[in-house]
Amino acid sequence: MNNIESLKSYFSSEIVLILGLVVLIFLSLRRGHSDHKSMSPASSVVSVVTLFLAITAALSVNFTESQPLFHGMIALDPFGQFFKILIMGTTLVTVVFCTCSRDLENTPGPEFMAFLMALCLGLNVMCVSNNMLMMYLAVEMASLVSYIMAGYMTENKRSEEAGLKYVLYGGLASGVMIFGMSLLYGLTGSLDLVSIRQVVINNPPDQLILFLTFIMILTGLGYKMAIAPFHMWSPDVYEGAPLPVTAFLSVASKAAGFALTLRFLFVAFVATEVEGTWSAVSAIDWQMLVAVLSAVTMTVGNVLALQQLNIKRFLAYSSIAHAGYMLMAVAAQSGGGLEGVVFYFMVYFLMNLGAFLVAGVILNQRHTEDMRDYKGLVRQGASGLFLALTLSVFLFSLTGIPPFAGFIGKWYVFKAVINAGLLWLAVIGALNSVISLYFYVRLIKFMLVDSAEKNDTIERVPLRFASLISIFAALTLVFGLYFAPLVKWTQASVVMFR
Amino acid sequence: MNPYFFYAFATITVLMVVLMILQKNPITGAMCLIVSFFSLAGLYVLLEAHFIAVLQILVYAGAIMVLFIFVIMFLNLKKEDLKTGRRPFYQFAALIASGALVTFLVVQYTKIPPVSFPESVAGFGTVEAIGSLMFSKYVIAFEVIGLLLLVGIIGAVLLGKKENHD
């Protein structure tokens, strides 16, 4: 489809985001704005309206079958739409999160929201790019803005360090990735993923070089997903970045990374599809590679999380472990596995953002990131009780204990893995779930069982936080028991891969 | 491709890069690098990639070299900083490693079967051809780059500016 047609009918949510970005930049140029207040109300309102319109636009895009846009640079399909909506939803929550965050006080306000819009846009493009040039540009756009946002607390040493570390790792990873992409272009003569697949199947290039190329591109993608062994940056960056940014990166950035990887693997490097199971191209059998990466990722994430007492680092390692579980479903190479990933992301969105929101409230009031300061939270007034109980719901769900939504997510993933015959991987996954039980329950014990050293009550939780946290906790419970609508949506989302 | 021009440019490129490594003074090294960039641009011209040749000069020999030299001057190195302790073992190891690499590359080079390059289509590699592609097929990528640079600039200003606390 040509440029004008694509722009007119199918690109409305991106256009809305760009307009919002421009408005926010102009807002930050107003006279007399130089006093740094934290988030200015005007910029938050503009961001919320922009995101709301963009989500509506994305939902209202009507198409009967998936098709290439912009001469095949971008793909229009339910899979991309799903991830776009997930990412814009995360951004919406993050905007609300930012309006009331201690980390972001004394930082320039309206620009921050503009960066958030740009990041959201970059991640959106990542989810739909169908061409290596667009893949690289989208990854660069998302990374560049992430670096700025991670180092946003310019007066905080740790935030600066986080930004710098992110730049160094990110620069290296994207350098390796674009080197790989240029080699792949040289080998296949095409940037388009679909044409690459044709060449790799019909006219396979030298296997060793192709494999090297594949690994190099996977390095860049793995860095975006924060999977081992490319995860080194994530604990330090998550710890140093402002808390809302950490929450955003751990959900949206990871989601876009997975969307991009799935598209890369399942469009360019699969040979045949029989009744919902794929086989990799004969030149590169990536099933075992992904399976091993997933086993390593979840083990590293869970084992290192055991030691953590800082809530941000703790959630960082936990998110690495969750990336491992999701990668497990990718290794299944089946429709069930893809559904598992998509389903897991919906659940992960709820429970991970919920946990970050609770941590944000406590950081705002107590000025602490240490998990030992959560001791006796349940007995510190009505707000303390509310926070302790909701955080317990999120943590139980992250562990994957029924009847919470996390259990259903894990169940889908394990089902796909066992159906694919990767029993050893399922066993490693189960063992990792047991390890994770220890550290999630330790935090719950801190809050519910232990008694506090000082007995001061938690002040009233701001209304927007309280409502968001209650909605997320309620949905975590509801989707654990009644998940049919989610299943329907996931099945519709992966239909175009068949 | 005229072989005499090719050998001339290739020799200058390699010679200058080797000189750059051997220079003690970083500024002299940077100057050698500029010359090698220019002769590399000449090689691109021989390959009919005129646009890339121009970019090579504008971006590498222009912008990036200025940045290099700026940083070198910023560091303000003194003569005694440039002296390095001699470590015979490392020098010996480096000599052997690079010798092995050169031998390997030469052996591999002799194995490559002779390739005849196809004649390029008219207009290939010109600014016009690249421009029309950039504004038709790849226009979306072009726009994304525009946004990327915009947020990049704003971010750099924001992180780099000095706060005045008064």
Side-chain angles (χ1 to χ4, degrees):
Chain A
M1 197 176 296
N2 71 29
N3 291 325
I4 300 292
E5 256 176 83
S6 328
L7 204 59
K8 260 201 312 222
S9 21
Y10 302 111
F11 219 50
S12 39
S13 62
E14 279 81 357
I15 295 174
V16 172
L17 280 177
I18 294 172
L19 286 179
L21 169 71
V22 173
V23 171
L24 284 166
I25 290 174
F26 275 108
L27 266 184
S28 67
L29 295 176
R30 274 179 315 167
R31 279 180 126 202
H33 155 67
S34 51
D35 55 327
H36 15 284
K37 276 285 191 72
S38 47
M39 300 299 124
S40 78
S43 68
S44 318
V45 171
V46 171
S47 323
V48 169
V49 171
T50 308
L51 284 165
F52 192 73
L53 287 176
I55 293 175
T56 324
L59 282 172
S60 62
V61 168
N62 222 328
F63 54 94
T64 42
E65 54 185 14
S66 32
Q67 45 192 316
L69 301 184
F70 296 103
H71 301 285
M73 301 292 277
I74 281 187
L76 174 75
D77 49 33
F79 178 76
Q81 295 298 102
F82 167 80
F83 274 100
K84 267 161 71 173
I85 290 165
L86 184 85
I87 285 164
M88 289 190 280
T90 315
T91 320
L92 196 58
V93 175
T94 312
V95 171
V96 179
F97 203 162
C98 290
T99 54
C100 190
S101 162
R102 205 180 76 89
D103 276 350
L104 288 170
E105 278 167 20
N106 299 322
T107 54
E111 283 102 340
F112 185 82
M113 290 299 177
F115 287 134
L116 201 56
M117 292 301 120
L119 184 48
C120 179
L121 183 72
L123 296 176
N124 271 0
V125 178
M126 245 166 101
C127 300
V128 293
S129 43
N130 207 12
N131 182 298
M132 285 203 294
L133 184 64
M134 279 320 280
M135 277 170 69
Y136 176 72
L137 283 178
V139 168
E140 272 304 284
M141 178 149 183
S143 312
L144 195 84
V145 186
S146 313
Y147 306 150
I148 299 167
M149 286 170 70
Y152 211 73
M153 299 186 283
T154 37
E155 281 160 29
N156 181 323
K157 270 267 174 313
R158 284 224 321 263
S159 179
E160 263 177 35
E161 185 194 324
L164 190 65
K165 268 191 184 154
Y166 208 0
V167 172
L168 293 178
Y169 273 103
L172 185 67
S174 66
V176 172
M177 180 169 74
I178 197 166
F179 194 7
M181 282 176 171
S182 68
L183 287 177
L184 189 56
Y185 176 63
L187 289 175
T188 60
S190 175
L191 287 169
D192 187 57
L193 293 186
V194 182
S195 332
I196 289 174
R197 176 183 174 199
Q198 299 301 333
V199 177
V200 172
I201 291 174
N202 300 329
N203 196 0
D206 186 78
Q207 197 168 353
L208 180 67
I209 301 177
L210 189 65
F211 187 72
L212 265 178
T213 311
F214 183 78
I215 296 282
M216 286 167 107
I217 298 177
L218 207 61
T219 305
L221 298 174
Y223 148 81
K224 268 283 160 259
M225 294 186 286
I227 58 169
F230 318 114
H231 68 285
M232 309 292 191
W233 57 275
S234 92
D236 290 335
V237 170
Y238 283 14
E239 189 189 353
L243 192 62
V245 177
T246 310
F248 184 82
L249 289 179
S250 76
V251 179
S253 201
K254 207 172 276 268
F258 265 91
L260 189 61
T261 312
L262 286 180
R263 203 181 281 281
F264 179 69
L265 292 177
F266 283 88
V267 174
F269 283 97
V270 289
T272 51
E273 187 254 316
V274 185
E275 287 171 6
T277 35
W278 284 267
S279 60
V281 290
S282 55
I284 296 174
D285 183 15
W286 48 266
Q287 181 173 37
M288 192 44 83
L289 185 72
V290 173
V292 170
L293 279 181
S294 110
V296 173
T297 304
M298 54 196 172
T299 313
V300 165
N302 280 321
V303 169
L304 292 179
L306 288 174
Q307 303 283 327
Q308 303 306 324
L309 282 169
N310 177 304
I311 185 93
K312 277 172 161 178
R313 283 188 92 84
F314 167 75
L315 286 171
Y317 281 114
S318 128
S319 82
I320 294 173
H322 284 277
Y325 298 136
M326 290 185 252
L327 211 57
M328 202 157 85
V330 179
Q333 282 184 338
S334 64
L338 285 174
E339 278 168 31
V341 177
V342 172
F343 191 95
Y344 206 102
F345 256 114
M346 275 194 267
V347 176
Y348 177 75
F349 163 79
L350 291 174
M351 54 199 189
N352 212 44
L353 276 186
F356 268 111
L357 282 168
V358 176
V361 173
I362 292 171
L363 178 66
N364 283 347
Q365 293 200 6
R366 289 278 171 85
H367 303 181
T368 177
E369 291 171 5
D370 193 325
M371 276 157 46
R372 280 166 297 196
D373 293 333
Y374 284 49
K375 279 183 182 170
L377 193 65
V378 74
R379 282 179 291 279
Q380 298 176 339
S383 304
L385 179 69
F386 169 71
L387 291 177
L389 289 183
T390 46
L391 186 54
S392 309
V393 168
F394 297 132
L395 291 175
F396 274 129
S397 182
L398 282 166
T399 324
I401 288 178
F404 301 101
F407 168 71
I408 312 294
K410 265 197 186 152
W411 186 69
Y412 265 92
V413 168
F414 277 95
K415 196 179 94 177
V417 173
I418 291 169
N419 281 347
L422 293 167
L423 269 179
W424 62 272
L425 190 59
V427 170
I428 292 180
L431 284 177
N432 268 294
S433 295
V434 176
I435 300 176
S436 76
L437 184 67
Y438 168 75
F439 56 79
Y440 288 127
V441 169
R442 187 181 55 174
L443 180 54
I444 295 172
K445 171 177 162 286
F446 278 170
M447 293 188 302
L448 302 185
V449 180
D450 290 355
S451 52
E453 283 141 28
K454 287 182 295 177
N455 227 344
D456 36 340
T457 54
I458 294 263
E459 289 162 37
R460 220 168 67 83
V461 182
L463 183 64
R464 45 200 136 161
F465 274 83
S467 46
L468 271 181
I469 292 172
S470 355
I471 291 171
F472 280 7
L475 285 178
T476 309
L477 274 170
V478 169
F479 287 146
L481 299 169
Y482 176 66
F483 47 90
L486 290 191
V487 174
K488 236 183 186 167
W489 199 21
T490 46
Q491 280 170 348
S493 299
V494 301
V495 76
M496 91 309 170
F497 279 117
R498 312 204 154 191
Chain B
M1 194 195 293
N2 189 325
Y4 298 109
F5 278 112
F6 169 76
Y7 284 117
F9 282 129
T11 320
I12 297 175
T13 311
V14 174
L15 202 71
M16 283 300 154
V17 171
V18 170
L19 267 180
M20 180 199 79
I21 297 169
L22 296 179
Q23 286 304 320
K24 271 262 161 63
N25 188 336
I27 291 285
T28 327
M31 293 302 157
C32 294
L33 195 59
I34 293 184
V35 178
S36 85
F37 280 154
F38 270 98
S39 56
L40 208 57
L43 287 178
Y44 284 129
V45 172
L46 292 181
L47 286 169
E48 308 257 333
H50 304 284
F51 185 66
I52 297 185
V54 174
L55 277 193
Q56 169 79 18
I57 291 175
L58 282 181
V59 176
Y60 281 88
I64 291 181
M65 270 329 288
V66 169
L67 208 69
F68 275 5
I69 293 176
F70 187 73
V71 169
I72 291 169
M73 291 183 163
F74 206 64
L75 289 175
N76 196 13
L77 293 172
K78 294 182 190 65
K79 256 218 173 97
E80 49 267 31
D81 294 336
L82 298 174
K83 276 190 191 132
T84 48
R86 291 198 176 276
R87 295 190 200 141
F89 173 71
Y90 287 110
Q91 282 178 340
F92 186 64
L95 199 69
I96 290 190
S98 39
L101 186 65
V102 168
T103 325
F104 174 75
L105 286 178
V106 168
V107 169
Q108 291 296 317
Y109 179 76
T110 54
K111 280 187 193 163
I112 299 174
V115 186
S116 63
F117 289 102
E119 277 296 308
S120 59
V121 269
F124 172 83
T126 57
V127 181
E128 191 189 345
I130 289 175
S132 71
L133 258 186
M134 202 190 275
F135 287 100
S136 60
K137 190 179 175 202
Y138 295 107
V139 73
I140 180 83
F142 185 72
E143 299 295 333
V144 169
I145 292 178
L147 275 175
L148 198 156
L149 290 177
L150 175 71
V151 285
I153 292 167
I154 298 177
V157 170
L158 207 73
L159 293 184
K161 79 174 178 203
K162 276 262 187 296
E163 304 286 348
N164 37 351
H165 300 276
D166 45 19

